[in-house]
Amino acid sequence: MSNEATIQHDTHTHDTHDAHAHHEHAHHEHKQHFLSKYVFSMDHKIISRQFLITGMFWAIAGGLMSVFFRLQLGFPDQTFSVLSKFLGEWARGGKMDPEMYYGLVTIHGTVLVFFVLTGGLSGTFSNFLIPLQIGARDMASPFLNMLSYWFFALASVVMFSSLFINTGPASGGWTTYPPLSALKEASMGSGLGMDLWLVSMAFFIISSLLGGLNYIVTVLNMRTKGMSMTRMPLTIWAFLFTAVLGVLSFPVLLSAAVLLLFDRHAGTSFYLSEIFIAGRALPNVGGSAILYQHLFWFLGHPEVYIIMLPAMGMASEILSTHSRKPIFGYFAMILSLIGITVLAFLVWAHHMFVTGMSPFLGGIFVLLTLLIAIPSAVKVFNWLTTIWKGNIRFTPAMLFALGFVSLFISGGLTGLFLGNSALDIHLHDTYFVVAHFHIVMGISAFFGMFAGIYHWFPKMYGRFMNNTLGYVHFFITFVGAYVIFWPMHYEGVAGMPRRYYEYSAWESFKQFGELNQMISVAAIIVFFAQLLFVFNYFVSVWKGRKVTDPNPWKANSLEWTTPILPGHGNWDGPIPEVHRWAYDYKDNGEGGDFIPQHIPLREGEADEHH
Amino acid sequence: MSGLLLVLLVALIFVVLYQVARSSEMVARIQGEEVFDKKRNKILAFSMLVLMVAFFVGIYACHRYMMPLMAPQAASDHGKNYDFMFFVTLMVTGFIFVLTQILLFWFAYKYQRTGEKVPFHFAHSTKLELVWTTIPAIAMAVLVAIGLKAWFTMTSEAPKGAMQIEIVGKQFNWISRYPGPDGVLGKRYFTNINDKDNILGLDWKDQKNMDDIIVPNGELRLIKDKPVELLIGSRDVIHDVGLSHFRMKMDAVPGITSRLWFTPIITTEEMKKITGNENFVYELSCDQMCGKGHYSMRAVIIVETQAEHDAWLAKQQSYYAQNHTTEAPAAEAPKVDSAKSITMNIK
């Protein structure tokens, strides 16, 4: 498992062209077959782009679904020809069928949580940055890494195909609670659509496990000489804990899914008991519908941090780099990551305060849940102190990182309402929850992801993304996100339930009709702003301004010591040795304000982090 | 056709934006990257201040717009507790929110890059970190303490003498059951259910069932200032009894009976006066996704005085009597229920 061995073949080729390493390198890449270079690639950088582009596909698909159901929510008494165009029989005459409404809500949630913000986020950046930032030529197992992507692709195909079957996709919400999801009599989406959902999730979990194990092994074993754990950039720490969370919690979801499949097809009663449906009493007795919720949320809550941690790590890196200041409280940041990781496993039942669970148990979960506020607060204050007295460059990446902090604060604080069971007993399953999790793990994780893309795009493609479009993207998205989700808190406080197709028959909620319209319009505008980002991305891949400086942001971490467009193997020569921590933004004695990790300590200079 | 035009329009806007963006790069090259970057950095730094002001003005405007639309004061004793707790949590989080958001945007503006400068190397301070570990910890301890006190109060055993009502969810309506003169709800089991004459599956061997009253549209009749305990069940999938005006909710899970108690403190009539809304009505909403009719799973709650309640009760016939007379004319009357209107809604 040595660094050099993993891509023996490639480095060997490099050696033969040693004299013109750089020039020949490009030449060599051309000779590789298209299939092995871009499709069944084992290069972590290509795999990361595969994750990213698949994630983008799902983000657009999932976003479009939200546009459709926002049309229904904002304008329940109107018809839209675009709906009948896309949804066909499911929107006859331009009016969306409730079954399809719930199907879209379900698939929107599923693909954004899992395919975009897990696969697309940690799949992309763990893959891209771990080898580059720790100084490795590739992942510990490039082959498993490739498999990880292809299982993700398989999961994607299965999930996408479920949109086209005649009983429609799964429609019980992204949490797919049984008995609704277990009984095909209970809803159309609980037919074949639900089976495809479960199979797709099983493939996704395999993908995530293959990826996660690989990330952990790579971080622990393949760091270059001098790269002690406490010299790693916080991105790597975040990816490491993300992988640990995934490896320990995803298998539990798999078991939940398998038991659900048994209940659906093998006549078992794990989740079913005393049910009378479609005119008959089912034979199942003794199961517990609540069991599924425990299993689901045992993954479901860590999943939130699987989404958040990479965004936190990248924001830390970007805030520090563009403020030209070391990250404040490096060890406190690591400790808070550890705190969050441990607590992530101990809070799952706060999603279940109103299931009738023991109030005493509920009390324990309140306590443990609110504890998470402490490491989160530490992180926020450390970010603020990082930019304090900095020398800030407002690149698009920096703007998104700042936006990330703002959204994380807003969404994190509303968690203190929901984590307190005596408040949750009213706010549970209302729009307050919708607002909370969209801001804190939806939009803010997206901001972390955008920051990462703008920041590392030059490393990915050797070109910059267009700045101006980046700024337009930032301002529309930031303002739009708050316009969409801020008023939803109020709706939730008024008790407006989520997952409703229409509110006009409700004396208590119909007064929000005008507001729902406004939210829908904002959502559509924000959706188009994301298309602008995708447009910018792909135009810049081919037409963007070329990178001429291998270290365009003047950053310290190792990825900027590679050639502008690194080949498979990352460094042409030997892997650089590391002599200092990743955040040495200080006077380098020659008028510069940073000292990259591979620069040896000057005489008499003390290493702050050994 | 209009769809195609829309796509073309969006594509056109993108291309125009892109050309503008490209030209800004061109300008940068002409002006010199350094000068241009400096100017742009300054503008962007200023935009952080603008964003901050817009943010707080927006929040204020939103608040002004929303407050008149909000639910009226809590209509139960637990709800009053809830409102108090909500206020405390809002103050704590609101303070942190305003403080951190202002710092964030202010720092971003204040510490904009104005040229090369020797960076301020400040990587660590145990004192500061201890401060912002301890203060949130204390604040959390306070919130947990208040929260758990309220939580254990509302989840405690219902007081003696509380009236009991059973509320059962099914796709897609609620059914409520009152104990009748004997004050006790009889046994029921799901295998006894049939939609013709035993919608809750009452066990007719249990004498306590004989006087039980079933209201098939789930109407809940509560008495002001009298504690009520809801016994919550479901016939098919998971539902949730959402009582937004009383600030509570509880899942209805098949195979499990969950419980919830509270004391209503404002009658429907009083609330009509308080809100100035002649049509005001307490509503019970299903708050757990339960299928395609989820959004229409509504029942009405009436809070009345003891006298009004007694008068209503006197007029009710037991479910058994309704379904076990030779000619049962009255039986069908209350069955014009939400189940039917809901199916109409969906189709």
Side-chain angles (χ1 to χ4, degrees):
Chain A
M1 215 187 286
S2 95
N3 262 348
E4 301 298 337
T6 47
I7 44 126
Q8 209 177 22
H9 172 75
D10 255 40
T11 35
H12 180 71
T13 329
H14 283 226
D15 289 344
T16 57
H17 299 290
D18 211 19
H20 322 276
H22 202 81
H23 183 79
E24 289 295 323
H25 180 73
H27 181 62
H28 158 74
E29 291 289 324
H30 277 296
K31 270 201 258 176
Q32 230 180 324
H33 193 277
F34 179 81
L35 270 185
S36 64
K37 184 173 176 201
Y38 291 113
V39 183
F40 297 104
S41 171
M42 291 200 234
D43 181 350
H44 70 102
K45 297 185 294 301
I46 298 287
I47 295 172
S48 92
R49 276 170 266 190
Q50 291 173 330
F51 269 106
L52 180 56
I53 290 168
T54 314
M56 279 159 113
F57 166 79
W58 277 117
I60 295 171
L64 193 62
M65 289 174 201
S66 72
V67 166
F68 291 162
F69 62 71
R70 273 315 318 180
L71 283 178
Q72 164 62 30
L73 283 171
F75 309 93
D77 42 10
Q78 288 177 38
T79 59
F80 296 91
S81 58
V82 63
L83 291 183
S84 51
K85 224 160 250 163
F86 273 89
L87 304 177
E89 288 295 294
W90 292 104
R92 215 175 292 175
K95 173 81 180 158
M96 187 187 292
D97 186 276
E99 291 271 7
M100 188 33 93
Y101 172 82
Y102 286 118
L104 292 180
V105 170
T106 302
I107 303 299
H108 165 83
T110 305
V111 302
L112 278 146
V113 167
F114 292 111
F115 291 4
V116 181
L117 292 174
T118 305
L121 179 56
S122 79
T124 302
F125 288 102
S126 296
N127 260 311
F128 192 73
L129 292 177
I130 287 176
L132 283 173
Q133 288 195 333
I134 65 168
R137 299 221 180 263
D138 204 317
M139 284 291 169
S141 169
F143 178 70
L144 287 189
N145 209 21
M146 177 183 80
L147 278 189
S148 158
Y149 173 74
W150 285 105
F151 270 104
F152 176 44
L154 195 58
S156 294
V157 169
V158 175
M159 188 65 77
F160 195 62
S161 63
S162 81
L163 294 171
F164 299 96
I165 59 177
N166 71 352
T167 49
S171 64
W174 77 283
T175 52
T176 62
Y177 285 173
L180 179 61
S181 61
L183 305 170
K184 62 180 185 309
E185 301 91 328
S187 121
M188 267 172 100
S190 301
L192 180 59
M194 192 59 216
D195 287 321
L196 292 176
W197 190 94
L198 289 166
V199 169
S200 169
M201 284 311 296
F203 285 137
F204 181 81
I205 291 166
I206 293 170
S207 153
S208 163
L209 290 178
L210 291 174
L213 287 170
N214 223 341
Y215 307 150
I216 295 172
V217 172
T218 309
V219 171
L220 293 183
N221 287 328
M222 298 187 56
R223 301 186 311 277
T224 185
K225 193 167 174 218
M227 180 66 89
S228 60
M229 293 294 278
T230 52
R231 277 178 179 164
M232 296 194 308
L234 285 173
T235 37
I236 303 300
W237 276 106
F239 297 144
L240 174 64
F241 288 124
T242 304
V244 169
L245 281 169
V247 165
L248 294 180
S249 64
F250 264 117
V252 179
L253 180 65
L254 185 63
S255 69
V258 170
L259 297 188
L260 186 51
L261 274 174
F262 284 166
D263 271 10
R264 289 170 57 79
H265 298 295
T268 57
S269 310
F270 291 107
Y271 306 133
L272 305 176
S273 189
E274 305 184 18
I275 291 164
F276 180 92
I277 196 163
R280 69 189 181 97
L282 301 185
N284 313 69
V285 212
S288 165
I290 303 300
L291 169 65
Y292 174 88
Q293 298 186 19
H294 280 291
L295 295 175
F296 181 88
W297 287 113
F298 191 82
L299 157 92
H301 198 79
E303 171 64 24
V304 174
Y305 297 105
I306 289 174
I307 289 172
M308 280 315 292
L309 293 189
M312 288 175 170
M314 293 193 291
S316 303
E317 174 79 13
I318 290 164
L319 287 170
S320 164
T321 304
H322 294 284
S323 301
R324 315 309 296 157
K325 264 190 74 200
I327 190 79
F328 181 80
Y330 178 79
F331 280 108
M333 287 302 223
I334 297 172
L335 286 176
S336 57
L337 284 176
I338 295 174
I340 290 173
T341 305
V342 172
L343 286 173
F345 287 107
L346 304 174
V347 299
W348 78 90
H350 69 213
H351 297 271
M352 301 163 58
F353 285 142
V354 300
T355 54
M357 67 192 268
S358 146
F360 176 72
L361 196 59
I364 304 267
F365 276 100
V366 169
L367 180 65
L368 290 165
T369 300
L370 291 212
L371 279 182
I372 287 201
I374 298 168
S376 308
V378 169
K379 293 198 94 71
V380 167
F381 286 115
N382 282 0
W383 286 322
L384 291 175
T385 317
T386 300
I387 65 169
W388 178 63
K389 289 204 173 182
N391 200 14
I392 299 172
R393 278 187 318 222
F394 290 97
T395 58
M398 183 64 178
L399 285 177
F400 275 102
L402 290 168
F404 162 84
V405 177
S406 169
L407 288 155
F408 181 70
I409 295 169
S410 305
L413 287 173
T414 51
L416 296 180
F417 293 79
L418 295 169
N420 220 333
S421 52
L423 292 178
D424 184 66
I425 200 169
H426 173 57
L427 297 171
H428 189 87
D429 267 342
T430 64
Y431 266 72
F432 194 91
V433 178
V434 175
H436 162 71
F437 75 74
H438 273 95
I439 291 180
V440 78
M441 68 167 233
I443 311 294
S444 97
F446 256 107
F447 268 53
M449 187 170 173
F450 287 135
I453 293 172
Y454 283 106
H455 188 79
W456 280 289
F457 192 87
K459 189 81 268 166
M460 285 183 171
Y461 295 100
R463 291 171 187 273
F464 291 98
M465 286 180 75
N466 185 294
N467 273 337
T468 311
L469 292 188
Y471 296 131
V472 172
H473 177 215
F474 168 76
F475 285 106
I476 296 181
T477 313
F478 184 76
V479 174
Y482 274 118
V483 169
I484 294 169
F485 294 111
W486 189 272
M488 284 188 189
H489 292 106
Y490 288 83
E491 295 183 323
V493 172
M496 188 168 121
R498 63 194 279 212
R499 292 172 175 153
Y500 269 29
Y501 170 73
E502 206 183 323
Y503 294 89
S504 44
W506 293 81
E507 190 59 35
S508 315
F509 315 121
K510 68 179 181 193
Q511 72 273 28
F512 296 120
E514 197 183 44
L515 181 72
N516 286 337
Q517 273 182 21
M518 191 276 296
I519 292 175
S520 295
V521 172
I524 292 167
I525 295 172
V526 171
F527 174 74
F528 280 107
Q530 308 318 305
L531 292 185
L532 184 66
F533 162 79
V534 174
F535 173 79
N536 187 4
Y537 182 96
F538 285 104
V539 170
S540 301
V541 168
W542 286 285
K543 298 266 178 196
R545 188 159 53 92
K546 277 197 174 160
V547 176
T548 47
D549 179 353
N551 189 358
W553 310 125
K554 308 211 181 315
N556 284 339
S557 40
L558 278 187
E559 74 272 29
W560 306 107
T561 62
T562 59
I564 287 175
L565 263 182
H568 195 182
N570 298 339
W571 286 268
D572 289 339
I575 301 175
E577 194 180 319
V578 165
H579 299 280
R580 51 180 77 236
W581 71 316
Y583 298 98
D584 246 352
Y585 291 98
K586 62 180 179 191
D587 192 357
N588 67 357
E590 294 154 19
D593 58 1
F594 70 112
I595 314 176
Q597 285 192 281
H598 66 286
I599 307 289
L601 293 175
R602 283 167 291 167
E603 221 167 295
E605 187 188 4
D607 180 23
E608 283 170 86
H609 295 284
H610 25 106
Chain B
M1 192 58 207
S2 63
L4 184 70
L5 280 177
L6 186 73
V7 171
L8 282 176
L9 185 70
V10 170
L12 188 70
I13 292 174
F14 279 12
V15 170
V16 168
L17 265 174
Y18 180 67
Q19 289 305 330
V20 171
R22 282 281 285 227
S23 65
S24 77
E25 278 182 12
M26 227 74 98
V27 173
R29 225 164 296 155
I30 296 163
Q31 288 191 348
E33 301 266 351
E34 291 259 317
V35 183
F36 183 80
D37 276 356
K38 233 178 197 168
K39 237 197 280 177
R40 182 166 61 187
N41 212 55
K42 219 170 162 182
I43 296 170
L44 286 165
F46 185 69
S47 76
M48 291 290 107
L49 272 194
V50 175
L51 218 47
M52 178 173 82
V53 173
F55 189 39
F56 285 108
V57 170
I59 288 172
Y60 177 72
C62 177
H63 191 73
R64 283 286 299 268
Y65 174 81
M66 294 302 296
M67 282 323 277
L69 306 180
M70 298 304 284
Q73 67 196 83
S76 74
D77 55 343
H78 294 333
K80 276 168 86 177
N81 255 340
Y82 164 92
D83 281 357
F84 166 73
M85 250 190 85
F86 186 89
F87 178 75
V88 172
T89 312
L90 187 64
M91 286 301 115
V92 173
T93 54
F95 173 73
I96 304 169
F97 174 82
V98 172
L99 176 79
T100 48
Q101 297 280 5
I102 288 182
L103 287 181
L104 177 70
F105 288 110
W106 176 250
F107 285 173
Y109 165 73
K110 177 93 197 297
Y111 300 109
Q112 57 181 292
R113 186 183 191 80
T114 46
E116 298 297 329
K117 73 169 190 188
V118 177
F120 176 61
H121 192 80
F122 182 52
H124 177 63
S125 156
T126 312
K127 207 193 278 174
L128 275 180
E129 281 158 277
L130 276 180
V131 168
W132 56 61
T133 312
T134 323
I135 293 178
I138 294 169
M140 285 317 106
V142 173
L143 290 183
V144 168
I146 303 176
L148 289 186
K149 187 163 169 276
W151 173 247
F152 288 125
T153 312
M154 56 179 74
T155 54
S156 59
E157 291 278 314
K160 280 213 179 80
M163 70 189 241
Q164 283 196 328
I165 305 176
E166 183 172 53
I167 177 100
V168 177
K170 69 179 252 291
Q171 287 179 330
F172 295 100
N173 68 293
W174 297 99
I175 301 165
S176 50
R177 176 161 71 126
Y178 298 77
D182 68 352
V184 184
L185 292 161
K187 290 198 189 87
R188 63 181 191 89
Y189 196 59
F190 78 110
T191 46
N192 298 334
I193 296 175
N194 70 67
D195 274 323
K196 202 168 119 277
D197 60 9
N198 199 353
I199 52 177
L200 284 181
L202 302 191
D203 179 358
W204 295 129
K205 280 185 240 121
D206 184 354
Q207 285 303 312
K208 299 192 179 77
N209 274 322
M210 294 308 167
D211 61 347
D212 285 2
I213 296 155
I214 288 181
V215 181
N217 68 4
E219 190 175 79
L220 285 181
R221 295 218 163 221
L222 313 180
I223 301 164
K224 185 188 170 182
D225 295 330
K226 180 163 188 182
V228 55
E229 180 175 36
L230 298 179
L231 306 179
I232 299 164
S234 166
R235 270 181 30 171
D236 39 40
V237 303
I238 302 178
H239 303 277
D240 182 283
V241 176
L243 306 164
S244 60
H245 295 98
F246 307 92
R247 312 283 194 261
M248 299 191 93
K249 63 173 54 90
M250 184 56 69
D251 279 357
V253 185
I256 297 173
T257 302
S258 41
R259 287 157 189 267
L260 185 70
W261 75 269
F262 59 94
T263 311
I265 52 175
I266 302 173
T267 65
T268 304
E269 289 305 317
E270 285 166 349
M271 203 53 127
K272 280 181 183 171
K273 291 203 188 82
I274 291 172
T275 56
N277 176 5
E278 257 315 290
N279 301 321
F280 176 86
V281 59
Y282 290 119
E283 286 172 315
L284 188 164
S285 54
C286 179
D287 284 0
Q288 179 64 59
M289 172 69 197
C290 63
K292 70 171 175 181
H294 174 49
Y295 67 99
S296 57
M297 208 167 142
R298 172 177 180 267
V300 168
I301 303 161
I302 294 169
V303 181
E304 54 197 359
T305 59
Q306 182 77 51
E308 287 166 328
H309 189 76
D310 293 344
W312 171 79
L313 207 57
K315 277 190 283 186
Q316 304 306 309
Q317 202 183 3
S318 77
Y319 190 66
Y320 184 83
Q322 280 179 15
N323 290 286
H324 290 81
T325 46
T326 35
E327 82 284 2
E332 287 306 307
K335 282 218 164 177
V336 184
D337 59 6
S338 57
K340 247 176 215 159
S341 57
I342 280 152
T343 16
M344 273 155 47
N345 264 342
I346 294 161
K347 284 293 151 191

